[in-house]
C-alpha cells in the first residue's frame, strides 16, 4: 500500500474519531454562590453559619472548589 493511501486512511480515521472525542466527558460546570456577611468575613460570630451553609451544600452533593465556588463578601460598612 502506498504511503499516500496510508496517510489518507489515517486522516480519514482521525476525522471520524474527532467528533467522538469532542463529546467525551466534559468537566462539570462550576456554579458560584456569593455570601454577603453583615460584618467582616473574619468575624468569629458568623463562622458557624458559613460552615453550616457549606456543610448543607456538601450534603446535597455540592463540593466547594469542585462543582461550586462560594465567595464571601464583607458588608461595605464593615470595611475600615
Amino acid at each position: 500500500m502506498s504511503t499516500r493511501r496510508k496517510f489518507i486512511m489515517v486522516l480519514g480515521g482521525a476525522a471520524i474519531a474527532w467528533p467522538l472525542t469532542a463529546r467525551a466527558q466534559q468537566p462539570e460546570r462550576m456554579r458560584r454562590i456569593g455570601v454577603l456577611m453583615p460584618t467582616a468575613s473574619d468575624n468569629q460570630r458568623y463562622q458557624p453559619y458559613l460552615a453550616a451553609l457549606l456543610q448543607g451544600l456538601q450534603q446535597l452533593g455540592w463540593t466547594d472548589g469542585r462543582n461550586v465556588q462560594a465567595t464571601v463578601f464583607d458588608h461595605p460598612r464593615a470595611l475600615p
Side-chain angles (χ1 to χ4, degrees), residues 3-34:
T3 309
R4 183 176 177 190
R5 285 187 182 181
K6 287 181 186 176
F7 175 73
I8 290 173
M9 286 176 50
V10 169
L11 190 61
I16 291 171
W18 187 357
L20 299 176
T21 58
R23 286 188 223 154
Q25 186 176 3
Q26 299 295 321
E28 197 168 343
R29 240 177 60 184
M30 179 73 72
R31 293 347 193 260
R32 290 178 179 80
I33 297 176

Side-chain angles (χ1 to χ4, degrees), residues 8-72:
I8 290 173
M9 286 176 50
V10 169
L11 190 61
I16 291 171
W18 187 357
L20 299 176
T21 58
R23 286 188 223 154
Q25 186 176 3
Q26 299 295 321
E28 197 168 343
R29 240 177 60 184
M30 179 73 72
R31 293 347 193 260
R32 290 178 179 80
I33 297 176
V35 180
L36 180 61
M37 300 293 279
T39 63
S41 60
D42 59 355
N43 186 330
Q44 295 301 316
R45 178 178 174 196
Y46 290 97
Q47 291 303 315
Y49 297 111
L50 185 58
L53 171 67
L54 295 176
Q55 181 181 5
L57 287 171
Q58 192 162 19
Q59 289 173 350
L60 294 171
W62 299 99
T63 304
D64 190 27
R66 193 187 89 217
N67 56 5
V68 70
Q69 178 183 4
T71 305
V72 179

